[in-house]
Amino acid sequence: MDSTTPLYKNFRLVHQLKRRLRIIAPVLKNDQDRGYIFEILLKKRPEIKRVRSTFALGSVIIEFDPSRLPKANLLILLDTVLGNMSHKSGKGLLSRGQKIEFSGKLKEIDLAIEGMTCASCALLLEMVLKRDPRIKQVNVNFGTETLTVLGHTSKEEVCASVESLGYKAFPMDTLSQRKKMIEKEQQRIVLARQRLLWSAVLSAPVIAIAMSMTTSRRWHWLQFLLATPVVFWAGKPFFDKALRLAKHRAANMDSLIALGVGSAYLYSLPAFFFRKGHLYFEAAAAIITFVLLGRYLEEKAKGKAGEAIRQLVDLQPQTATLLRNGEELNVDVETLQIDDQVLIRPGEKIPADGLVYQGISTVDESMVTGESMPVVKEIGHRVIAGCVNGNGVLRIKVTAVGMDTVLAGIVHMVDQAQSTKLPIQKQVDKISAVFVPSVMAISGLTFVGWMLVGAPFGFAFGNAITVLLIACPCALGLATPAAIMVGTGQAAKKGIYIRNGESLEIAAKLNVIVFDKTGTITEGKPKVSDLLKLSRLSQEKIIMLAASAENNSEHFLGKAIVEYAREQAVTIKECSHFYSETGRGISAEVDGKTVLLGNQAWMEAQQVSLSELAQAALQFADQGKTPVYMAVNGKASALFGIADKPKAHAKEAIAKLHKLGIETLMATGDVARTAHYIAAKVGIEQVIANARPEQKLTIIEALKAQGKYVGMIGDGINDAPALTAASVGFAIGNGTDIAIESADLTLVQGDILKVADAIALSKATIVIIKQNLFWAFAYNTIAIPIAAMGRLNPMLASAAMALSSVSVIVNSLRLSRR
């Protein structure tokens, strides 16, 4: 077709084949952002196989399936999309500067990325994906090789964008998929070692010949023959990546390596064939080998850094024994559904969360909960996927599968923590983004500078290559994520699950910790120890009314009264008109009577006189028991004394925090005397009693207003607002789901001794991050000028560059010894 044929008003059809069209679209010319968006819009159509753009010309080549998308329909589609993009009024779909609003809930997409070779790869992916107006937030982590996108886009479209840059994207929707990615990572390490060994074997003679300074033609031929496969086979991944990035007008560490190696090899060819000038075959081969060595060591070190999450993923078994119609079926764990019945034999891993309906055994929950002693499981007990069954046989009914299991939730939480960027890392990213272009510019200036002062071409050229090779943005990019990856993994091993990396940084600054009492300082297993009755009603009737009213309550004290009724074999009846006011009490109708239970403030608000119970309530409180008042039909009828012991390690935990210079404060809804009794037992001096949820929130905000970094530790629904408002919220792992969701860190098994461990680990992680950044900046600040002054050769430069990244990861691994 004639190249001047104008078919549609928004583009010109330049060339067409049965399965391919080439168009010129003026609206895309020299507009990279619009070009990327145009590609994304077209790739949404499954009939379009490939889109390649040349932004400088406004040229686009579209490969499509004509059986599914006829050419005429494709041309109409192109005209419509380009027409919207070129709308003059600014109201078009993608007009320059337009802010596009998308409706609907934001979707979080998690993917594993294969093919990233250094931290600048992660920056490149972030930069390109952020150009899509539908994507609100992008986070790519080189250390964990993961990508998280938040926006109004689909997984398929994100994968297409990633793959257009030469990387591969894989879903991480299940633990089985995570396991496959880990297996691929191990295979990649093996392949990296093989490539390194062959490169080293071929490069060694090339370097030896160069060092011998021989001028023999035979030896030069051997150099050429051995260096060529090293450059074009072992070095192929560097050139492939550099070319793909060049098409997107981008560059990273692979670009520097490809430029340095390619320049050294190409310069050597005419010198070799025409026997004039210096040969750099040994430099080209050595550079590839040293970089491959660095990458291999880096992969190995990253493998060690990610050991914690691998151990968690490995907990899930691949198969399960399904019980159906009296038969035992061996099935893939991914096929399990809620309410399925599963048999768990001695020594087997539990395949899904569930409830025991038959059998008794002990279960090792240490990897998930941090609890070292096996836990007895019998009928009605909950079991967690990934934990190991003991000597008994259990039959369970599945309550959660796939990503809804506790184990999957923990893995996802650790993933999120490891992929989060700290504020300090965001500043480093800005530097890294301009690092590679800057190094290229310095390399060019080095060459020009040496030529201007009369240096030989070969000397100037060698120095320019050395500048390219000595620079290392990878060390800068790895400094923070490597430390976070090891730090959060080590926390997970201790039973501390961190929701985001930023809270790890802030935890190092905490100077005040606010504790809830019940379930946090105390065991959270309150028991009725005393019952004082005023009413003429029998004690059994009083217990029945109280337990029936509290049977719908989720409060610890209410559950204690219900449990007390069961111990006394008292029948619990249905109640009506149930009402609960958080932090105060409840009301309900039972057996035709209005029943009130709660604290003094609740009773006074209901205009119930408590004068006859006041002295007994004070005595209970002085003994560390919580007084719960009861009124029937508006009259005070009974007083329950409920005791809850402090946790075994509570006193030790508070002492550890005091040694770290951290103030402790208890804020509880309990009465003052009970609160002070418990606080004195564990060593807390400051107590705020009768605190309602909104008051706990006010306490947190007041402390923050004084410039303090405040930690809050709680486990109940009433603690959720304060946990959210705190600088760092610590949730007790056996508390309510709302509390856990509101917190930044979860302490599995409710061991508050781990608060001090979390803060100590946080401080150590920040120290490692600062060390990593110092050495990364120092390395580049010193090395680049030395290279530009001609004090290094390309081989030494490539070796130093490779080892700089490895040193950052090795330094981060010191955290694993804590």
Side-chain angles (χ1 to χ4, degrees):
M1 178 173 287
D2 187 339
S3 64
T4 61
T5 304
L7 287 182
Y8 288 81
K9 61 182 179 180
N10 293 306
F11 66 87
R12 181 160 50 90
L13 184 59
V14 177
H15 181 70
Q16 71 176 60
L17 295 173
K18 185 178 180 182
R19 296 177 178 272
R20 188 171 69 178
L21 295 176
R22 183 185 172 210
I23 66 169
I24 296 293
V27 70
L28 301 180
K29 188 173 182 180
N30 292 320
D31 195 331
Q32 193 169 8
D33 288 345
R34 287 193 185 194
Y36 281 128
I37 294 166
F38 178 69
E39 287 187 10
I40 290 167
L41 292 173
L42 290 186
K43 285 174 182 174
K44 288 175 67 178
R45 300 292 297 259
E47 305 90 344
I48 294 176
K49 304 300 181 185
R50 194 176 181 192
V51 182
R52 289 179 292 163
S53 305
T54 305
F55 303 120
L57 303 174
S59 168
V60 183
I61 296 173
I62 302 113
E63 294 179 15
F64 66 106
D65 184 352
S67 65
R68 300 172 65 193
L69 180 64
K71 185 189 74 175
N73 293 356
L74 174 60
L75 294 175
I76 293 169
L77 172 68
L78 295 176
D79 200 45
T80 303
V81 173
L82 290 166
N84 285 331
M85 296 179 75
S86 59
H87 209 286
K88 300 297 183 183
S89 66
K91 296 178 182 177
L93 176 65
L94 294 165
S95 299
R96 180 179 292 279
Q98 178 187 359
K99 183 179 180 181
I100 303 172
E101 297 295 335
F102 296 94
S103 60
K105 188 177 179 181
L106 289 169
K107 290 188 293 184
E108 182 179 303
I109 298 168
D110 295 308
L111 297 170
I113 304 298
E114 187 179 296
M116 290 195 292
T117 51
C118 72
S120 53
C121 293
L123 289 173
L124 173 71
L125 280 166
E126 284 189 3
M127 179 184 71
V128 172
L129 289 172
K130 283 176 181 175
R131 290 172 179 157
D132 187 338
R134 297 166 301 174
I135 293 176
K136 303 297 180 186
Q137 189 176 323
V138 184
N139 196 359
V140 183
N141 189 295
F142 172 59
T144 58
E145 297 183 323
T146 56
L147 159 69
T148 301
V149 167
L150 193 65
H152 298 280
T153 186
S154 69
K155 187 176 295 180
E156 292 73 23
E157 289 166 333
V158 175
C159 287
S161 298
V162 169
E163 288 169 8
S164 72
L165 291 168
Y167 305 95
K168 291 182 180 178
F170 300 92
M172 292 196 305
D173 298 331
T174 65
L175 291 183
S176 292
Q177 288 174 337
R178 284 300 308 269
K179 197 162 191 172
K180 287 176 184 175
M181 289 308 304
I182 290 169
E183 289 169 358
K184 277 192 173 187
E185 183 182 326
Q186 297 307 312
Q187 293 169 7
R188 195 165 64 246
I189 291 174
V190 171
L191 289 173
R193 184 175 62 205
Q194 290 174 352
R195 190 179 288 270
L196 167 64
L197 288 174
W198 278 108
S199 180
V201 167
L202 295 172
S203 298
V206 179
I207 296 169
I209 292 167
M211 293 177 69
S212 70
M213 305 294 286
T214 181
T215 57
S216 170
R217 187 68 176 162
R218 284 182 305 172
W219 293 116
H220 288 172
W221 267 103
L222 184 60
Q223 277 189 305
F224 167 70
L225 293 173
L226 293 177
T228 299
V230 172
V231 172
F232 292 104
W233 173 74
K236 186 175 182 293
F238 303 116
F239 290 103
D240 287 346
K241 190 68 62 63
L243 286 172
R244 287 195 194 100
L245 297 179
K247 289 177 183 177
H248 289 276
R249 296 182 180 178
N252 70 353
M253 196 65 216
D254 292 294
S255 306
L256 296 182
I257 294 164
L259 192 59
V261 171
S263 299
Y265 184 83
L266 291 175
Y267 175 80
S268 301
L269 288 179
F272 168 64
F273 287 113
F274 299 113
R275 302 186 185 187
K276 186 177 181 181
H278 187 74
L279 297 180
Y280 284 100
F281 287 131
E282 81 286 354
I287 289 164
I288 294 290
T289 302
F290 282 130
V291 174
L292 288 175
L293 173 63
R295 296 265 166 100
Y296 170 68
L297 293 174
E298 194 175 303
E299 287 289 343
K300 289 273 286 182
K302 275 165 57 184
K304 290 181 182 177
E307 189 63 34
I309 204 162
R310 260 190 299 283
Q311 289 177 0
L312 286 170
V313 172
D314 285 341
L315 288 178
Q316 179 172 287
Q318 296 301 297
T319 59
T321 304
L322 178 66
L323 299 173
R324 183 175 290 165
N325 301 324
E327 292 184 28
E328 295 181 9
L329 305 174
N330 194 40
V331 300
D332 191 306
V333 74
E334 296 289 317
T335 65
L336 289 179
Q337 297 179 358
I338 291 174
D339 289 335
D340 277 349
Q341 294 179 355
V342 176
L343 174 68
I344 305 166
R345 295 185 175 89
E348 288 185 343
K349 291 179 181 176
I350 297 168
D353 291 358
L355 290 174
V356 177
Y357 72 86
Q358 186 178 325
I360 182 169
S361 183
T362 57
V363 174
D364 180 3
E365 297 183 334
S366 58
M367 191 60 202
V368 175
T369 66
E371 183 63 46
S372 58
M373 294 295 293
V375 182
V376 175
K377 298 291 181 181
E378 53 189 345
I379 295 172
H381 284 190
R382 181 187 182 198
V383 292
I384 301 171
C387 297
V388 180
N389 186 24
N391 295 324
V393 176
L394 295 175
R395 293 171 188 258
I396 69 166
K397 182 175 281 188
V398 174
T399 57
V401 295
M403 296 306 287
D404 294 326
T405 63
V406 171
L407 177 61
I410 289 171
V411 171
H412 183 63
M413 196 183 295
V414 175
D415 269 337
Q416 284 183 317
Q418 292 187 342
S419 61
T420 303
K421 288 189 178 179
L422 306 190
I424 192 170
Q425 176 65 24
K426 292 171 184 174
Q427 297 301 316
V428 173
D429 284 350
K430 290 179 182 178
I431 296 170
S432 298
V434 298
F435 188 90
V436 172
S438 300
V439 169
M440 289 180 173
I442 294 170
S443 175
L445 290 172
T446 299
F447 176 76
V448 172
W450 281 108
M451 291 298 291
L452 289 175
V453 298
F457 179 87
F459 183 75
F461 182 74
N463 290 340
I465 291 174
T466 305
V467 169
L468 290 176
L469 298 172
I470 198 70
C472 189
C474 301
L476 286 173
L478 277 171
T480 302
I484 290 176
M485 189 162 75
V486 180
T488 53
Q490 193 64 13
K493 287 182 180 179
K494 293 175 178 285
I496 304 163
Y497 294 106
I498 301 170
R499 189 174 296 277
N500 58 72
E502 192 167 349
S503 60
L504 186 70
E505 180 180 23
I506 297 171
K509 303 175 184 177
L510 292 178
N511 41 36
V512 180
I513 301 283
V514 178
F515 288 89
D516 175 46
K517 180 182 76 69
T518 307
T520 303
I521 294 293
T522 63
E523 291 180 347
K525 298 174 183 176
K527 289 187 175 292
V528 175
S529 58
D530 299 88
L531 172 56
L532 175 63
K533 183 175 74 74
L534 291 182
S535 173
R536 293 179 180 178
L537 297 172
S538 68
Q539 181 161 314
E540 183 179 347
K541 182 77 169 178
I542 287 289
I543 295 171
M544 184 276 291
L545 291 172
S548 299
E550 290 282 12
N551 200 29
N552 290 324
S553 173
E554 287 295 317
H555 198 278
F556 285 106
L557 301 179
K559 288 180 178 179
I561 292 173
V562 173
E563 186 61 31
Y564 181 63
R566 288 179 177 146
E567 289 171 0
Q568 302 293 317
V570 173
T571 302
I572 297 174
K573 298 184 178 182
E574 290 290 325
C575 75
S576 59
H577 301 94
F578 178 84
Y579 172 76
S580 172
E581 188 163 323
T582 305
R584 303 189 86 181
I586 65 155
S587 67
E589 295 285 334
V590 182
D591 235 12
K593 293 179 172 58
T594 301
V595 180
L596 299 172
L597 286 118
N599 59 22
Q600 182 178 342
W602 175 242
M603 292 297 172
E604 289 175 351
Q606 306 302 315
Q607 299 180 343
V608 176
S609 173
L610 301 176
S611 56
E612 295 180 73
L613 297 172
Q615 189 59 39
L618 290 175
Q619 289 174 355
F620 285 172
D622 285 338
Q623 296 165 11
K625 302 169 185 175
T626 302
V628 176
Y629 297 93
M630 177 180 176
V632 178
N633 292 333
K635 292 185 179 180
S637 302
L639 179 69
F640 289 87
I642 301 179
D644 190 10
K645 294 188 298 184
K647 289 181 177 176
H649 300 297
K651 187 171 184 178
E652 184 184 351
I654 300 301
K656 268 192 170 186
L657 291 172
H658 289 166
K659 281 183 181 177
L660 291 171
I662 296 171
E663 297 176 47
T664 55
L665 182 152
M666 180 192 289
T668 176
D670 215 334
V671 296
R673 293 193 180 209
T674 304
H676 280 285
Y677 177 88
I678 297 295
K681 281 237 173 191
V682 298
I684 295 177
E685 295 178 359
Q686 300 181 65
V687 177
I688 299 175
N690 299 305
R692 298 185 65 187
E694 59 270 25
Q695 290 174 302
K696 290 183 181 181
L697 181 60
T698 303
I699 292 164
I700 298 291
E701 290 174 341
L703 288 168
K704 287 173 73 177
Q706 296 171 25
K708 295 182 177 180
Y709 287 91
V710 186
M712 169 71 195
I713 307 176
D715 71 327
I717 293 172
N718 60 330
D719 298 320
L723 287 168
T724 304
S727 306
V728 177
F730 298 83
I732 300 301
N734 49 11
T736 65
D737 290 342
I738 293 176
I740 292 170
E741 286 298 317
S742 303
D744 301 298
L745 287 86
T746 301
L747 309 174
V748 182
Q749 290 299 105
D751 186 357
I752 59 172
L753 197 59
K754 291 174 181 173
V755 175
D757 291 341
I759 292 171
L761 186 60
S762 170
K763 290 177 182 290
T765 303
I766 298 304
V767 168
I768 292 290
I769 288 172
K770 289 179 178 177
Q771 288 174 353
N772 287 349
L773 287 173
F774 171 79
W775 289 113
F777 276 112
Y779 165 82
N780 284 293
T781 302
I782 296 168
I784 292 174
I786 291 174
M789 289 187 290
R791 302 295 182 183
L792 287 173
N793 65 52
M795 283 191 292
L796 287 175
S798 58
M801 181 274 291
L803 292 174
S804 65
S805 295
V806 178
S807 65
V808 165
I809 297 182
V810 170
N811 188 47
S812 300
L813 283 170
R814 292 195 298 122
L815 286 167
S816 63
R817 296 199 293 268
R818 293 192 63 84

